[in-house]
PDB file of all heavy atoms in Angstrom:
ATOM      1  N   ALA A  29       0.852  -1.187  -0.004  1.00  0.00           N
ATOM      2  CA  ALA A  29       0.023  -0.046   0.040  1.00  0.00           C
ATOM      3  C   ALA A  29       0.837   1.240  -0.100  1.00  0.00           C
ATOM      4  O   ALA A  29       0.561   2.256  -0.627  1.00  0.00           O
ATOM      5  CB  ALA A  29      -0.968  -0.060   1.171  1.00  0.00           C
ATOM      6  N   THR A  30       1.967   1.231   0.735  1.00  0.00           N
ATOM      7  CA  THR A  30       2.790   2.369   0.764  1.00  0.00           C
ATOM      8  C   THR A  30       4.399   1.955   0.630  1.00  0.00           C
ATOM      9  O   THR A  30       4.966   1.830   1.560  1.00  0.00           O
ATOM     10  CB  THR A  30       2.743   3.064   2.219  1.00  0.00           C
ATOM     11  OG1 THR A  30       2.973   2.095   3.232  1.00  0.00           O
ATOM     12  CG2 THR A  30       1.320   3.594   2.503  1.00  0.00           C
ATOM     13  N   PRO A  31       4.676   1.842  -0.715  1.00  0.00           N
ATOM     14  CA  PRO A  31       5.968   1.090  -0.977  1.00  0.00           C
ATOM     15  C   PRO A  31       7.149   2.018  -0.451  1.00  0.00           C
ATOM     16  O   PRO A  31       8.334   1.434  -0.218  1.00  0.00           O
ATOM     17  CB  PRO A  31       5.946   1.095  -2.469  1.00  0.00           C
ATOM     18  CG  PRO A  31       4.910   2.037  -2.990  1.00  0.00           C
ATOM     19  CD  PRO A  31       3.915   2.108  -1.921  1.00  0.00           C
ATOM     20  N   SER A  32       6.980   3.282  -0.098  1.00  0.00           N
ATOM     21  CA  SER A  32       8.104   4.004   0.365  1.00  0.00           C
ATOM     22  C   SER A  32       8.227   3.943   1.919  1.00  0.00           C
ATOM     23  O   SER A  32       9.033   4.711   2.407  1.00  0.00           O
ATOM     24  CB  SER A  32       7.905   5.527  -0.205  1.00  0.00           C
ATOM     25  OG  SER A  32       6.717   6.130   0.491  1.00  0.00           O
ATOM     26  N   ARG A  33       7.420   3.100   2.556  1.00  0.00           N
ATOM     27  CA  ARG A  33       7.366   3.223   3.965  1.00  0.00           C
ATOM     28  C   ARG A  33       8.715   2.915   4.610  1.00  0.00           C
ATOM     29  O   ARG A  33       9.037   3.416   5.742  1.00  0.00           O
ATOM     30  CB  ARG A  33       6.316   2.227   4.405  1.00  0.00           C
ATOM     31  CG  ARG A  33       6.227   1.821   5.891  1.00  0.00           C
ATOM     32  CD  ARG A  33       5.100   0.933   6.035  1.00  0.00           C
ATOM     33  NE  ARG A  33       4.976   0.567   7.454  1.00  0.00           N
ATOM     34  CZ  ARG A  33       4.085  -0.210   8.014  1.00  0.00           C
ATOM     35  NH1 ARG A  33       3.138  -0.627   7.185  1.00  0.00           N
ATOM     36  NH2 ARG A  33       4.000  -0.494   9.349  1.00  0.00           N
ATOM     37  N   PHE A  34       9.477   2.050   4.048  1.00  0.00           N
ATOM     38  CA  PHE A  34      10.794   1.714   4.704  1.00  0.00           C
ATOM     39  C   PHE A  34      11.986   2.339   4.120  1.00  0.00           C
ATOM     40  O   PHE A  34      13.110   1.952   4.273  1.00  0.00           O
ATOM     41  CB  PHE A  34      10.958   0.181   4.575  1.00  0.00           C
ATOM     42  CG  PHE A  34       9.714  -0.578   5.211  1.00  0.00           C
ATOM     43  CD1 PHE A  34       8.927  -1.377   4.334  1.00  0.00           C
ATOM     44  CD2 PHE A  34       9.462  -0.534   6.512  1.00  0.00           C
ATOM     45  CE1 PHE A  34       7.851  -2.125   4.957  1.00  0.00           C
ATOM     46  CE2 PHE A  34       8.379  -1.171   7.061  1.00  0.00           C
ATOM     47  CZ  PHE A  34       7.588  -1.913   6.329  1.00  0.00           C
ATOM     48  N   GLY A  35      11.760   3.457   3.325  1.00  0.00           N
ATOM     49  CA  GLY A  35      12.885   4.156   2.696  1.00  0.00           C
ATOM     50  C   GLY A  35      13.242   3.783   1.429  1.00  0.00           C
ATOM     51  O   GLY A  35      12.409   3.004   0.812  1.00  0.00           O
ATOM     52  N   ALA A  36      14.426   4.107   0.927  1.00  0.00           N
ATOM     53  CA  ALA A  36      14.808   3.805  -0.441  1.00  0.00           C
ATOM     54  C   ALA A  36      14.948   2.245  -0.597  1.00  0.00           C
ATOM     55  O   ALA A  36      14.522   1.787  -1.748  1.00  0.00           O
ATOM     56  CB  ALA A  36      16.009   4.518  -0.762  1.00  0.00           C
ATOM     57  N   ASP A  37      15.489   1.572   0.115  1.00  0.00           N
ATOM     58  CA  ASP A  37      15.701   0.101   0.046  1.00  0.00           C
ATOM     59  C   ASP A  37      14.690  -0.540   0.771  1.00  0.00           C
ATOM     60  O   ASP A  37      14.763  -0.859   1.985  1.00  0.00           O
ATOM     61  CB  ASP A  37      17.100  -0.307   0.688  1.00  0.00           C
ATOM     62  CG  ASP A  37      17.465  -1.657   0.351  1.00  0.00           C
ATOM     63  OD1 ASP A  37      16.693  -2.354  -0.205  1.00  0.00           O
ATOM     64  OD2 ASP A  37      18.461  -2.148   0.941  1.00  0.00           O
ATOM     65  N   THR A  38      13.632  -0.859  -0.030  1.00  0.00           N
ATOM     66  CA  THR A  38      12.434  -1.417   0.750  1.00  0.00           C
ATOM     67  C   THR A  38      12.572  -2.911   1.093  1.00  0.00           C
ATOM     68  O   THR A  38      11.623  -3.419   1.590  1.00  0.00           O
ATOM     69  CB  THR A  38      11.198  -1.168  -0.217  1.00  0.00           C
ATOM     70  OG1 THR A  38      11.350  -1.819  -1.487  1.00  0.00           O
ATOM     71  CG2 THR A  38      10.886   0.347  -0.411  1.00  0.00           C
ATOM     72  N   THR A  39      13.605  -3.458   0.656  1.00  0.00           N
ATOM     73  CA  THR A  39      13.790  -5.016   0.796  1.00  0.00           C
ATOM     74  C   THR A  39      14.731  -5.309   1.729  1.00  0.00           C
ATOM     75  O   THR A  39      15.195  -6.410   1.877  1.00  0.00           O
ATOM     76  CB  THR A  39      14.048  -5.695  -0.496  1.00  0.00           C
ATOM     77  OG1 THR A  39      15.190  -5.211  -1.092  1.00  0.00           O
ATOM     78  CG2 THR A  39      12.896  -5.477  -1.558  1.00  0.00           C
ATOM     79  N   ALA A  40      15.305  -4.285   2.461  1.00  0.00           N
ATOM     80  CA  ALA A  40      16.369  -4.480   3.484  1.00  0.00           C
ATOM     81  C   ALA A  40      15.878  -5.312   4.552  1.00  0.00           C
ATOM     82  O   ALA A  40      14.857  -5.028   5.221  1.00  0.00           O
ATOM     83  CB  ALA A  40      16.912  -3.185   3.971  1.00  0.00           C
ATOM     84  N   PRO A  41      16.425  -6.559   4.811  1.00  0.00           N
ATOM     85  CA  PRO A  41      15.853  -7.522   5.878  1.00  0.00           C
ATOM     86  C   PRO A  41      15.762  -6.794   7.297  1.00  0.00           C
ATOM     87  O   PRO A  41      14.772  -7.057   7.808  1.00  0.00           O
ATOM     88  CB  PRO A  41      16.875  -8.600   5.771  1.00  0.00           C
ATOM     89  CG  PRO A  41      17.484  -8.637   4.424  1.00  0.00           C
ATOM     90  CD  PRO A  41      17.464  -7.185   4.069  1.00  0.00           C
ATOM     91  N   ASP A  42      16.867  -6.227   7.632  1.00  0.00           N
ATOM     92  CA  ASP A  42      16.824  -5.599   8.942  1.00  0.00           C
ATOM     93  C   ASP A  42      15.554  -4.681   9.217  1.00  0.00           C
ATOM     94  O   ASP A  42      15.003  -4.584  10.228  1.00  0.00           O
ATOM     95  CB  ASP A  42      18.108  -4.807   9.304  1.00  0.00           C
ATOM     96  CG  ASP A  42      19.190  -5.891   9.452  1.00  0.00           C
ATOM     97  OD1 ASP A  42      18.945  -7.119   9.622  1.00  0.00           O
ATOM     98  OD2 ASP A  42      20.354  -5.446   9.419  1.00  0.00           O
ATOM     99  N   GLU A  43      15.366  -3.804   8.136  1.00  0.00           N
ATOM    100  CA  GLU A  43      14.178  -2.746   8.260  1.00  0.00           C
ATOM    101  C   GLU A  43      12.935  -3.454   8.261  1.00  0.00           C
ATOM    102  O   GLU A  43      12.058  -3.186   9.013  1.00  0.00           O
ATOM    103  CB  GLU A  43      14.238  -1.830   7.153  1.00  0.00           C
ATOM    104  CG  GLU A  43      15.602  -0.903   7.229  1.00  0.00           C
ATOM    105  CD  GLU A  43      15.372   0.434   6.440  1.00  0.00           C
ATOM    106  OE1 GLU A  43      14.352   0.842   6.296  1.00  0.00           O
ATOM    107  OE2 GLU A  43      16.406   0.983   6.083  1.00  0.00           O
ATOM    108  N   LEU A  44      12.751  -4.437   7.427  1.00  0.00           N
ATOM    109  CA  LEU A  44      11.530  -5.255   7.343  1.00  0.00           C
ATOM    110  C   LEU A  44      11.292  -5.964   8.699  1.00  0.00           C
ATOM    111  O   LEU A  44      10.174  -6.014   9.168  1.00  0.00           O
ATOM    112  CB  LEU A  44      11.477  -6.206   6.209  1.00  0.00           C
ATOM    113  CG  LEU A  44      11.513  -5.578   4.809  1.00  0.00           C
ATOM    114  CD1 LEU A  44      11.665  -6.699   3.834  1.00  0.00           C
ATOM    115  CD2 LEU A  44      10.276  -4.837   4.552  1.00  0.00           C
ATOM    116  N   LEU A  45      12.282  -6.607   9.253  1.00  0.00           N
ATOM    117  CA  LEU A  45      12.104  -7.366  10.411  1.00  0.00           C
ATOM    118  C   LEU A  45      11.798  -6.461  11.574  1.00  0.00           C
ATOM    119  O   LEU A  45      10.979  -6.742  12.473  1.00  0.00           O
ATOM    120  CB  LEU A  45      13.405  -8.203  10.697  1.00  0.00           C
ATOM    121  CG  LEU A  45      13.643  -9.450   9.787  1.00  0.00           C
ATOM    122  CD1 LEU A  45      15.188  -9.962   9.961  1.00  0.00           C
ATOM    123  CD2 LEU A  45      12.810 -10.497  10.062  1.00  0.00           C
ATOM    124  N   GLY A  46      12.473  -5.331  11.612  1.00  0.00           N
ATOM    125  CA  GLY A  46      12.258  -4.289  12.664  1.00  0.00           C
ATOM    126  C   GLY A  46      10.820  -3.808  12.668  1.00  0.00           C
ATOM    127  O   GLY A  46      10.152  -3.726  13.667  1.00  0.00           O
ATOM    128  N   ALA A  47      10.318  -3.574  11.441  1.00  0.00           N
ATOM    129  CA  ALA A  47       8.899  -3.030  11.349  1.00  0.00           C
ATOM    130  C   ALA A  47       7.934  -4.057  11.800  1.00  0.00           C
ATOM    131  O   ALA A  47       6.932  -3.824  12.415  1.00  0.00           O
ATOM    132  CB  ALA A  47       8.681  -2.548   9.809  1.00  0.00           C
ATOM    133  N   ALA A  48       8.197  -5.296  11.448  1.00  0.00           N
ATOM    134  CA  ALA A  48       7.321  -6.425  11.782  1.00  0.00           C
ATOM    135  C   ALA A  48       7.342  -6.585  13.330  1.00  0.00           C
ATOM    136  O   ALA A  48       6.307  -6.761  13.919  1.00  0.00           O
ATOM    137  CB  ALA A  48       7.692  -7.695  11.211  1.00  0.00           C
ATOM    138  N   ASP A  49       8.589  -6.550  14.001  1.00  0.00           N
ATOM    139  CA  ASP A  49       8.723  -6.602  15.326  1.00  0.00           C
ATOM    140  C   ASP A  49       7.871  -5.519  16.063  1.00  0.00           C
ATOM    141  O   ASP A  49       7.141  -5.835  17.053  1.00  0.00           O
ATOM    142  CB  ASP A  49      10.143  -6.518  15.778  1.00  0.00           C
ATOM    143  CG  ASP A  49      10.935  -7.848  15.325  1.00  0.00           C
ATOM    144  OD1 ASP A  49      10.380  -8.748  14.965  1.00  0.00           O
ATOM    145  OD2 ASP A  49      12.290  -7.666  15.516  1.00  0.00           O
ATOM    146  N   ARG A  50       7.910  -4.379  15.601  1.00  0.00           N
ATOM    147  CA  ARG A  50       7.117  -3.324  16.200  1.00  0.00           C
ATOM    148  C   ARG A  50       5.589  -3.398  16.163  1.00  0.00           C
ATOM    149  O   ARG A  50       4.961  -2.948  17.134  1.00  0.00           O
ATOM    150  CB  ARG A  50       7.615  -1.864  15.554  1.00  0.00           C
ATOM    151  CG  ARG A  50       9.071  -1.586  15.980  1.00  0.00           C
ATOM    152  CD  ARG A  50       9.368  -0.074  15.585  1.00  0.00           C
ATOM    153  NE  ARG A  50       9.326   0.102  14.096  1.00  0.00           N
ATOM    154  CZ  ARG A  50      10.489  -0.107  13.320  1.00  0.00           C
ATOM    155  NH1 ARG A  50      11.512  -0.446  13.935  1.00  0.00           N
ATOM    156  NH2 ARG A  50      10.276  -0.018  12.001  1.00  0.00           N
ATOM    157  N   LEU A  51       5.178  -4.039  15.111  1.00  0.00           N
ATOM    158  CA  LEU A  51       3.837  -4.263  15.031  1.00  0.00           C
ATOM    159  C   LEU A  51       3.333  -5.519  15.884  1.00  0.00           C
ATOM    160  O   LEU A  51       2.190  -5.557  16.429  1.00  0.00           O
ATOM    161  CB  LEU A  51       3.407  -4.517  13.527  1.00  0.00           C
ATOM    162  CG  LEU A  51       3.353  -3.368  12.660  1.00  0.00           C
ATOM    163  CD1 LEU A  51       3.117  -3.709  11.218  1.00  0.00           C
ATOM    164  CD2 LEU A  51       2.279  -2.260  13.057  1.00  0.00           C
ATOM    165  N   LEU A  52       4.142  -6.630  15.900  1.00  0.00           N
ATOM    166  CA  LEU A  52       3.782  -7.808  16.546  1.00  0.00           C
ATOM    167  C   LEU A  52       4.065  -7.946  17.994  1.00  0.00           C
ATOM    168  O   LEU A  52       3.336  -8.705  18.664  1.00  0.00           O
ATOM    169  CB  LEU A  52       4.391  -8.972  15.830  1.00  0.00           C
ATOM    170  CG  LEU A  52       3.949  -9.210  14.226  1.00  0.00           C
ATOM    171  CD1 LEU A  52       4.532 -10.236  13.512  1.00  0.00           C
ATOM    172  CD2 LEU A  52       2.362  -9.502  14.262  1.00  0.00           C
ATOM    173  N   GLU A  53       5.124  -7.305  18.492  1.00  0.00           N
ATOM    174  CA  GLU A  53       5.430  -7.463  19.899  1.00  0.00           C
ATOM    175  C   GLU A  53       4.374  -6.894  20.796  1.00  0.00           C
ATOM    176  O   GLU A  53       4.084  -7.528  21.869  1.00  0.00           O
ATOM    177  CB  GLU A  53       6.778  -6.613  20.237  1.00  0.00           C
ATOM    178  CG  GLU A  53       7.890  -7.368  19.637  1.00  0.00           C
ATOM    179  CD  GLU A  53       9.250  -6.587  19.884  1.00  0.00           C
ATOM    180  OE1 GLU A  53       9.086  -5.478  20.412  1.00  0.00           O
ATOM    181  OE2 GLU A  53      10.290  -7.178  19.608  1.00  0.00           O
ATOM    182  N   PRO A  54       3.608  -5.726  20.527  1.00  0.00           N
ATOM    183  CA  PRO A  54       2.501  -5.395  21.287  1.00  0.00           C
ATOM    184  C   PRO A  54       1.355  -6.484  21.303  1.00  0.00           C
ATOM    185  O   PRO A  54       0.484  -6.383  22.349  1.00  0.00           O
ATOM    186  CB  PRO A  54       1.993  -4.017  20.747  1.00  0.00           C
ATOM    187  CG  PRO A  54       3.155  -3.524  19.969  1.00  0.00           C
ATOM    188  CD  PRO A  54       3.906  -4.761  19.373  1.00  0.00           C
ATOM    189  N   LEU A  55       1.278  -7.251  20.389  1.00  0.00           N
ATOM    190  CA  LEU A  55       0.266  -8.314  20.275  1.00  0.00           C
ATOM    191  C   LEU A  55       0.669  -9.533  21.005  1.00  0.00           C
ATOM    192  O   LEU A  55      -0.071 -10.531  21.208  1.00  0.00           O
ATOM    193  CB  LEU A  55      -0.085  -8.679  18.869  1.00  0.00           C
ATOM    194  CG  LEU A  55      -0.496  -7.601  17.993  1.00  0.00           C
ATOM    195  CD1 LEU A  55      -0.808  -8.185  16.562  1.00  0.00           C
ATOM    196  CD2 LEU A  55      -1.640  -6.758  18.467  1.00  0.00           C
ATOM    197  N   GLY A  56       1.827  -9.536  21.654  1.00  0.00           N
ATOM    198  CA  GLY A  56       2.362 -10.684  22.435  1.00  0.00           C
ATOM    199  C   GLY A  56       3.303 -11.648  21.689  1.00  0.00           C
ATOM    200  O   GLY A  56       3.516 -12.744  22.225  1.00  0.00           O
ATOM    201  N   PHE A  57       3.773 -11.273  20.550  1.00  0.00           N
ATOM    202  CA  PHE A  57       4.503 -12.141  19.697  1.00  0.00           C
ATOM    203  C   PHE A  57       6.162 -11.721  19.859  1.00  0.00           C
ATOM    204  O   PHE A  57       6.404 -10.617  19.918  1.00  0.00           O
ATOM    205  CB  PHE A  57       4.060 -12.189  18.262  1.00  0.00           C
ATOM    206  CG  PHE A  57       2.900 -12.774  18.001  1.00  0.00           C
ATOM    207  CD1 PHE A  57       1.705 -12.101  17.975  1.00  0.00           C
ATOM    208  CD2 PHE A  57       2.800 -14.166  17.799  1.00  0.00           C
ATOM    209  CE1 PHE A  57       0.487 -12.552  17.634  1.00  0.00           C
ATOM    210  CE2 PHE A  57       1.572 -14.789  17.463  1.00  0.00           C
ATOM    211  CZ  PHE A  57       0.458 -14.085  17.431  1.00  0.00           C
ATOM    212  N   MET A  58       6.891 -12.782  19.977  1.00  0.00           N
ATOM    213  CA  MET A  58       8.292 -12.674  20.024  1.00  0.00           C
ATOM    214  C   MET A  58       8.883 -13.310  18.829  1.00  0.00           C
ATOM    215  O   MET A  58       8.621 -14.515  18.426  1.00  0.00           O
ATOM    216  CB  MET A  58       8.924 -13.355  21.305  1.00  0.00           C
ATOM    217  CG  MET A  58      10.441 -13.142  21.396  1.00  0.00           C
ATOM    218  SD  MET A  58      11.047 -13.941  22.927  1.00  0.00           S
ATOM    219  CE  MET A  58      10.244 -12.768  24.166  1.00  0.00           C
ATOM    220  N   ARG A  59       9.918 -12.642  18.152  1.00  0.00           N
ATOM    221  CA  ARG A  59      10.556 -13.188  17.018  1.00  0.00           C
ATOM    222  C   ARG A  59      11.532 -14.226  17.589  1.00  0.00           C
ATOM    223  O   ARG A  59      12.470 -14.017  18.380  1.00  0.00           O
ATOM    224  CB  ARG A  59      11.280 -12.153  16.175  1.00  0.00           C
ATOM    225  CG  ARG A  59      11.998 -12.791  15.134  1.00  0.00           C
ATOM    226  CD  ARG A  59      12.304 -11.882  13.929  1.00  0.00           C
ATOM    227  NE  ARG A  59      12.684 -10.591  14.280  1.00  0.00           N
ATOM    228  CZ  ARG A  59      14.037 -10.015  14.188  1.00  0.00           C
ATOM    229  NH1 ARG A  59      14.964 -10.791  13.813  1.00  0.00           N
ATOM    230  NH2 ARG A  59      14.166  -8.747  14.565  1.00  0.00           N
ATOM    231  N   ILE A  60      11.413 -15.454  17.157  1.00  0.00           N
ATOM    232  CA  ILE A  60      12.316 -16.484  17.607  1.00  0.00           C
ATOM    233  C   ILE A  60      13.328 -17.090  16.638  1.00  0.00           C
ATOM    234  O   ILE A  60      14.201 -17.760  16.942  1.00  0.00           O
ATOM    235  CB  ILE A  60      11.429 -17.787  18.126  1.00  0.00           C
ATOM    236  CG1 ILE A  60      10.600 -18.257  17.107  1.00  0.00           C
ATOM    237  CG2 ILE A  60      10.601 -17.296  19.279  1.00  0.00           C
ATOM    238  CD1 ILE A  60       9.820 -19.562  17.538  1.00  0.00           C
ATOM    239  N   ALA A  61      13.111 -16.772  15.401  1.00  0.00           N
ATOM    240  CA  ALA A  61      14.018 -17.107  14.247  1.00  0.00           C
ATOM    241  C   ALA A  61      13.729 -16.312  13.059  1.00  0.00           C
ATOM    242  O   ALA A  61      12.602 -15.841  12.818  1.00  0.00           O
ATOM    243  CB  ALA A  61      13.790 -18.720  14.011  1.00  0.00           C
ATOM    244  N   GLN A  62      14.847 -16.295  12.227  1.00  0.00           N
ATOM    245  CA  GLN A  62      14.578 -15.645  10.869  1.00  0.00           C
ATOM    246  C   GLN A  62      15.653 -16.132   9.923  1.00  0.00           C
ATOM    247  O   GLN A  62      16.779 -16.536  10.354  1.00  0.00           O
ATOM    248  CB  GLN A  62      14.717 -14.073  11.004  1.00  0.00           C
ATOM    249  CG  GLN A  62      16.058 -13.522  11.214  1.00  0.00           C
ATOM    250  CD  GLN A  62      16.346 -13.529  12.600  1.00  0.00           C
ATOM    251  OE1 GLN A  62      15.558 -13.366  13.571  1.00  0.00           O
ATOM    252  NE2 GLN A  62      17.692 -13.671  12.967  1.00  0.00           N
ATOM    253  N   ILE A  63      15.272 -16.091   8.570  1.00  0.00           N
ATOM    254  CA  ILE A  63      16.225 -16.461   7.586  1.00  0.00           C
ATOM    255  C   ILE A  63      15.964 -15.305   6.564  1.00  0.00           C
ATOM    256  O   ILE A  63      14.898 -15.298   5.814  1.00  0.00           O
ATOM    257  CB  ILE A  63      16.034 -17.803   6.953  1.00  0.00           C
ATOM    258  CG1 ILE A  63      16.245 -18.908   7.937  1.00  0.00           C
ATOM    259  CG2 ILE A  63      17.053 -18.032   5.774  1.00  0.00           C
ATOM    260  CD1 ILE A  63      15.983 -20.327   7.502  1.00  0.00           C
ATOM    261  N   SER A  64      16.965 -14.492   6.471  1.00  0.00           N
ATOM    262  CA  SER A  64      16.704 -13.309   5.574  1.00  0.00           C
ATOM    263  C   SER A  64      15.403 -12.562   5.782  1.00  0.00           C
ATOM    264  O   SER A  64      15.314 -12.084   6.925  1.00  0.00           O
ATOM    265  CB  SER A  64      16.823 -13.737   4.086  1.00  0.00           C
ATOM    266  OG  SER A  64      16.686 -12.587   3.231  1.00  0.00           O
ATOM    267  N   VAL A  65      14.414 -12.523   4.924  1.00  0.00           N
ATOM    268  CA  VAL A  65      13.171 -11.803   5.168  1.00  0.00           C
ATOM    269  C   VAL A  65      12.114 -12.709   5.641  1.00  0.00           C
ATOM    270  O   VAL A  65      10.846 -12.329   5.683  1.00  0.00           O
ATOM    271  CB  VAL A  65      12.760 -10.913   4.082  1.00  0.00           C
ATOM    272  CG1 VAL A  65      13.691  -9.806   3.792  1.00  0.00           C
ATOM    273  CG2 VAL A  65      12.533 -11.787   2.775  1.00  0.00           C
ATOM    274  N   VAL A  66      12.444 -13.910   5.997  1.00  0.00           N
ATOM    275  CA  VAL A  66      11.395 -14.916   6.473  1.00  0.00           C
ATOM    276  C   VAL A  66      11.640 -15.005   8.021  1.00  0.00           C
ATOM    277  O   VAL A  66      12.571 -15.219   8.406  1.00  0.00           O
ATOM    278  CB  VAL A  66      11.573 -16.303   5.853  1.00  0.00           C
ATOM    279  CG1 VAL A  66      10.469 -17.185   6.335  1.00  0.00           C
ATOM    280  CG2 VAL A  66      11.566 -16.281   4.261  1.00  0.00           C
ATOM    281  N   ALA A  67      10.553 -14.712   8.734  1.00  0.00           N
ATOM    282  CA  ALA A  67      10.532 -14.501  10.252  1.00  0.00           C
ATOM    283  C   ALA A  67       9.624 -15.498  10.797  1.00  0.00           C
ATOM    284  O   ALA A  67       8.533 -15.619  10.281  1.00  0.00           O
ATOM    285  CB  ALA A  67      10.410 -13.160  10.647  1.00  0.00           C
ATOM    286  N   ALA A  68      10.080 -16.082  12.004  1.00  0.00           N
ATOM    287  CA  ALA A  68       9.139 -16.956  12.785  1.00  0.00           C
ATOM    288  C   ALA A  68       8.851 -16.191  14.073  1.00  0.00           C
ATOM    289  O   ALA A  68       9.834 -15.780  14.858  1.00  0.00           O
ATOM    290  CB  ALA A  68       9.693 -18.259  12.997  1.00  0.00           C
ATOM    291  N   TYR A  69       7.560 -16.145  14.384  1.00  0.00           N
ATOM    292  CA  TYR A  69       7.056 -15.573  15.686  1.00  0.00           C
ATOM    293  C   TYR A  69       6.380 -16.502  16.523  1.00  0.00           C
ATOM    294  O   TYR A  69       5.560 -17.315  15.981  1.00  0.00           O
ATOM    295  CB  TYR A  69       6.193 -14.357  15.399  1.00  0.00           C
ATOM    296  CG  TYR A  69       7.010 -13.162  14.870  1.00  0.00           C
ATOM    297  CD1 TYR A  69       7.153 -13.031  13.402  1.00  0.00           C
ATOM    298  CD2 TYR A  69       7.511 -12.127  15.615  1.00  0.00           C
ATOM    299  CE1 TYR A  69       7.809 -12.026  12.870  1.00  0.00           C
ATOM    300  CE2 TYR A  69       8.200 -11.068  15.080  1.00  0.00           C
ATOM    301  CZ  TYR A  69       8.371 -11.076  13.685  1.00  0.00           C
ATOM    302  OH  TYR A  69       8.958 -10.009  13.075  1.00  0.00           O
ATOM    303  N   GLU A  70       6.510 -16.445  17.840  1.00  0.00           N
ATOM    304  CA  GLU A  70       5.638 -17.307  18.734  1.00  0.00           C
ATOM    305  C   GLU A  70       5.202 -16.394  19.784  1.00  0.00           C
ATOM    306  O   GLU A  70       5.647 -15.470  20.265  1.00  0.00           O
ATOM    307  CB  GLU A  70       6.518 -18.268  19.392  1.00  0.00           C
ATOM    308  CG  GLU A  70       5.760 -19.468  20.224  1.00  0.00           C
ATOM    309  CD  GLU A  70       6.530 -20.683  20.510  1.00  0.00           C
ATOM    310  OE1 GLU A  70       7.678 -20.577  20.610  1.00  0.00           O
ATOM    311  OE2 GLU A  70       5.925 -21.780  20.618  1.00  0.00           O
TER     312      GLU A  70
END
């Protein structure tokens, strides 16, 4: 919906993972593993 949301490099794994963490942690999820841009939460 907003492709410029994460800056110029929209596929940078660290930025994508950080953005997902900020949305999911308040819901009670903790990131437990990741491979590049694939992340696992519990």
